[in-house]
Amino acid sequence: MPLTPAPARPALVVFDLDGTLLDTHVDLVESLNHTIAALGLEPVSYDDLTHLVGQGARVMIERACRLRGHPLEGDALPLLVERFVAHYAGNMPGRTEPYPGLVAAMDRLRSEGYRLAVCTNKMESLALGLLDKLDLVRYFDAISGGDTFPVRKPDARHLTGTIERAGGDIARTVMIGDSINDIAVAKNAGVPSIAVPFGYSDVPVSSLDPDVIITHFDELTPQLVERLLQEYAEKVAV
């Protein structure tokens, strides 16, 4: 009697956080402006945000200071990071909210047995705290931040470490994000990517060459994930 092939394991869907899962821009801008006000610098705006975010609080503060013509020197940065973290954490969740359709999409995936994870360059403690305040931690099998591992996106090991923590299979993983770090980490790890255009990318996400673009989380279904995984497997097998 021929053996029946084992059913495919449920996929793991890994999300970026800022600009993908959550619209955090108001609170990021407020905390960043609170931070650089200590240096007497003019505030930044939402239009500046796409050039500032993506590498965590330290880099965001450094970029904002350079933008305002005030490169940091000496030991100024650690104190500014402390100021940012205290303000940001102390005001969670602020006006941050999930993007439309996100919770319903995660419910769809979880109901079919899919695993979910977060891979963000935000500090792990801030990511966990924010998701907890929004009652979203329960959806995820793993949440990794920019300080969870010795490396961060776009280094492949940030994503592969997250996959391992979530009990996932790299051959059954999809990465969803809004910026170059997310699409690049997927490519570096050898997994397919889904881009969303409503986040904080400073270039059109189509120029980042993701495998799929969705414009609303209503489009994120088990069927889409399975089709993407199959098409990606066929592409890399050629």
Side-chain angles (χ1 to χ4, degrees):
M1 179 181 296
L3 295 175
T4 302
R9 293 176 59 186
L12 169 65
V13 179
V14 183
F15 296 86
D16 172 51
L17 188 67
D18 296 287
T20 301
L21 275 176
L22 304 177
D23 184 357
T24 55
H25 79 273
V26 173
D27 300 304
L28 288 175
V29 169
E30 287 184 356
S31 291
L32 182 57
N33 284 333
H34 170 80
T35 301
I36 64 175
L39 302 173
L41 302 183
E42 290 294 315
V44 301
S45 69
Y46 172 70
D47 290 337
D48 301 315
L49 193 63
T50 58
H51 302 279
L52 301 176
V53 300
Q55 293 289 349
R58 293 176 63 89
V59 175
M60 182 167 61
I61 294 165
E62 287 179 311
R63 289 174 175 174
C65 289
R66 284 200 302 270
L67 182 68
R68 291 292 178 257
H70 187 90
L72 294 175
E73 298 178 357
D75 59 355
L77 183 57
L79 295 175
L80 292 171
V81 172
E82 288 182 14
R83 180 177 172 91
F84 176 89
V85 170
H87 186 273
Y88 190 76
N91 288 279
M92 286 181 182
R95 284 182 275 178
T96 289
E97 58 185 7
Y99 281 102
L102 170 70
V103 173
M106 295 196 299
D107 284 334
R108 280 194 299 274
L109 294 169
R110 294 289 290 186
S111 70
E112 295 292 329
Y114 286 71
R115 292 176 179 265
L116 307 178
V118 172
C119 181
T120 174
N121 280 344
K122 200 185 203 80
M123 292 178 181
E124 182 181 320
S125 61
L126 294 181
L128 280 167
L130 183 55
L131 290 167
D132 180 57
K133 292 284 187 180
L134 294 168
D135 193 30
L136 296 175
V137 170
R138 57 194 171 90
Y139 281 95
F140 300 106
D141 296 282
I143 298 169
S144 72
D147 54 350
T148 302
F149 305 109
V151 296
R152 59 173 58 192
K153 295 183 297 184
D155 192 300
R157 291 170 291 175
H158 190 176
L159 179 53
T160 56
T162 304
I163 294 169
E164 183 177 355
R165 281 191 167 200
D169 177 352
I170 195 167
R172 297 275 298 153
T173 296
V174 171
M175 177 74 200
I176 304 180
D178 70 307
S179 70
I180 188 170
N181 282 334
D182 307 313
I183 308 308
V185 78
K187 290 180 179 179
N188 292 340
V191 304
S193 60
I194 298 174
V196 296
F198 43 71
Y200 310 143
S201 177
D202 58 351
V203 298
V205 292
S206 58
S207 69
L208 304 177
D209 194 29
D211 294 286
V212 172
I213 297 174
I214 60 173
T215 60
H216 193 285
F217 278 117
D218 287 351
E219 300 171 58
L220 182 58
T221 63
Q223 292 78 17
L224 173 66
V225 173
E226 292 303 325
R227 176 173 63 81
L228 178 56
L229 287 169
Q230 181 177 348
E231 290 176 352
Y232 189 82
E234 292 170 354
K235 181 173 72 172
V236 299
V238 173

